[in-house]
Amino acid sequence: TVMQEASTRGVLDIMDEKRDEVAEYYGKVLKVSEDLKTNACCTSEKIPSDVKAALGRVADEVMAKYYGCGLVAPEMLDGLCVLDLGCGAGRDCYVLAQMVGESGRVVGVDMTEEQIAVAENYKGWHADKFGYKQPNTVFKRGYIERLGDVGIQDESVDVIVSNCVVNLSPDKEAVLREAFRVLKPGGEMYFSDVYASRRVPEKLVSDPVLFGECLSGALYWNDFLNLAKKCGFMDPRLVKDSKITIQNEEVEARVGHVEFYSATYRLFKLDGLESHCEDYGQAVVYLGSIPGKPESFTLDNHHLFEKGKIESVCGNTYRMLHDTRFRPHFSFIGDQSVHYGIFADCGTTIPFTSSRTGADPSATGGCC
């Protein structure tokens, strides 16, 4: 109807306006990392030695325009195609370009003209720095909600990363749907972002500075989990998290009782994952063969696998290891012919360990 069409145009206009505000903030207002008004887009996390070495080979101008909230560097990337959503000036892309190797490929997508220009300018410089015959990076200016517009095909990507960007999108469902579309079966989206302890009031969402600082666009954590499942990612796995302290008294007063968390999730594209942690009597043994992980491998914040130790796992965890790039590095025991019920304490409380003062992050009480 005419009224429905007018309503749809109104929503699209609001989304475009929000994108323009974000592009203005990251393209013209922010010039270097120090221009950020809060620490929401920053991280105090200890940098692994291999990532630190890779960062040391990234151009200074690219490093200066880094506005992320974590280091999105999942394991086992050699030879893969990796897509970076909201790549900015390319810092993470150039780190990942070293991890995928010369035979791999990294594609960065960003809507900000100024940021993409910086990334493009250093493609050849980094290829020379890495000793590659030609660049293994491609940068595309466009919207992460419409990856088809920049030529990203169905099931063409092994791993998607994103660094404190999804919260800036006015259409987060479109981002997740597109991510699911372009991932190959068994691929994953591994990304850091900001989440809220409750739904953020509209008056804060409409504030361009709070939105640009990665705060007021944050999803309430449970809305994110439900949205991810709706888009096909049936069992989102939290890898790590930390509470955001903001460290700006004026901004803290404006956000009130809303608490914010920086968190890294991994979302696997696997058909048939179940909504809860079901027990089929299955187990896995880590072989210690993932590069850089000789003694143990962490899948998420509830699953650390020690080399040689038999670990009971739910059906979903079994498949996240068996039906993905991690399969060669595990031995597998059992099948799903007999169901023994659900793992205990597979609950729905706030997942962030950093929300519980004094909580022991290693205490799980069950598979998940």
Side-chain angles (χ1 to χ4, degrees):
T1 67
V2 174
M3 290 184 64
Q4 288 175 324
E5 291 177 359
S7 176
T8 300
R9 284 198 300 272
V11 171
L12 294 175
D13 288 344
I14 292 171
M15 288 184 177
D16 287 341
E17 181 180 334
K18 186 62 70 176
R19 290 191 188 96
D20 290 343
E21 289 176 356
V22 172
E24 174 79 12
Y25 197 70
Y26 280 82
K28 295 181 171 61
V29 176
L30 298 180
K31 298 301 182 184
V32 292
S33 303
E34 288 74 17
D35 291 337
L36 290 164
K37 293 177 172 60
T38 73
N39 69 342
C41 294
C42 305
T43 177
S44 58
E45 180 184 347
K46 184 178 179 181
I47 301 174
S49 58
D50 59 332
V51 176
K52 186 180 291 187
L55 285 168
R57 293 185 284 269
V58 176
D60 290 343
E61 184 180 4
V62 171
M63 290 291 294
K65 292 186 178 295
Y66 162 65
Y67 310 125
C69 63
L71 289 160
V72 281
E75 308 83 2
M76 298 291 299
L77 297 180
D78 187 45
L80 300 186
C81 177
V82 177
L83 171 64
D84 185 1
L85 301 181
C87 65
R91 188 204 79 150
D92 286 1
C93 285
Y94 288 124
V95 171
L96 294 163
Q98 299 171 69
M99 296 180 175
V100 302
E102 193 166 8
S103 64
R105 185 168 179 253
V106 179
V107 180
V109 177
D110 200 277
M111 68 176 180
T112 311
E113 182 178 1
E114 293 85 353
Q115 295 277 71
I116 283 289
V118 173
E120 279 280 359
N121 191 46
Y122 284 94
K123 283 170 57 177
W125 186 93
H126 283 101
D128 291 341
K129 187 76 171 180
F130 305 155
Y132 297 167
K133 293 180 179 178
Q134 59 185 17
N136 65 344
T137 49
V138 177
F139 296 99
K140 297 175 179 288
R141 187 185 173 201
Y143 297 122
I144 61 175
E145 303 90 346
R146 303 201 296 264
L147 296 175
D149 291 353
V150 294
I152 310 297
Q153 302 297 312
D154 293 358
E155 299 185 354
S156 62
V157 175
D158 296 293
V159 174
I160 295 173
V161 299
S162 184
N163 197 344
C164 207
V165 169
V166 176
N167 71 87
L168 295 171
S169 171
D171 189 354
K172 297 170 179 61
E173 180 173 346
V175 175
L176 293 177
R177 286 195 183 281
E178 279 290 86
F180 192 85
R181 177 183 69 81
V182 304
L183 276 174
K184 298 176 183 178
E188 72 163 320
M189 181 175 181
Y190 184 99
F191 69 113
S192 295
D193 213 75
V194 176
Y195 301 92
S197 61
R198 59 183 74 183
R199 293 179 183 128
V200 180
E202 182 57 38
K203 66 178 181 180
L204 299 181
V205 176
S206 61
D207 185 310
V209 173
L210 292 182
F211 201 93
E213 289 284 323
C214 300
L215 290 173
S216 64
L219 277 175
Y220 163 49
W221 65 269
N222 203 31
D223 285 346
F224 160 70
L225 294 179
N226 289 327
L227 187 61
K229 293 172 184 178
K230 179 182 178 182
C231 294
F233 299 108
M234 281 305 298
D235 190 359
R237 293 296 178 91
L238 175 64
V239 179
K240 53 191 173 184
D241 67 88
S242 60
K243 192 171 183 178
I244 293 171
T245 56
I246 298 179
Q247 297 180 359
N248 181 312
E249 291 184 3
E250 180 185 348
V251 173
E252 288 173 4
R254 288 159 71 183
V255 301
H257 294 292
V258 183
E259 296 178 338
F260 296 94
Y261 300 87
S262 173
T264 300
Y265 275 94
R266 60 191 337 155
L267 310 177
F268 286 97
K269 182 176 181 176
L270 292 168
D271 289 339
L273 289 182
E274 299 183 273
S275 60
H276 290 79
C277 302
E278 304 294 345
D279 184 1
Y280 295 94
Q282 294 171 296
V284 300
V285 180
Y286 176 50
L287 304 178
S289 53
I290 292 177
K293 308 291 180 181
E295 299 301 325
S296 65
F297 166 69
T298 299
L299 178 68
D300 55 52
N301 71 340
H302 284 169
H303 295 90
L304 184 148
F305 299 98
E306 294 183 51
K307 178 182 177 181
K309 183 180 179 182
I310 299 175
E311 298 278 3
S312 295
V313 294
C314 69
N316 285 356
T317 299
Y318 186 98
R319 293 199 55 214
M320 289 175 185
L321 300 172
H322 185 274
D323 298 348
T324 67
R325 67 190 188 280
F326 299 119
R327 181 175 181 172
H329 306 283
F330 285 84
S331 293
F332 298 90
I333 301 168
D335 53 34
Q336 294 192 358
S337 58
V338 180
H339 180 229
Y340 297 96
I342 195 169
F343 273 93
D345 298 332
C346 188
T348 55
T349 58
I350 185 168
F352 308 132
T353 56
S354 53
S355 71
R356 302 184 288 278
T357 303
D360 179 1
S362 65
T364 63
C367 173
C368 294

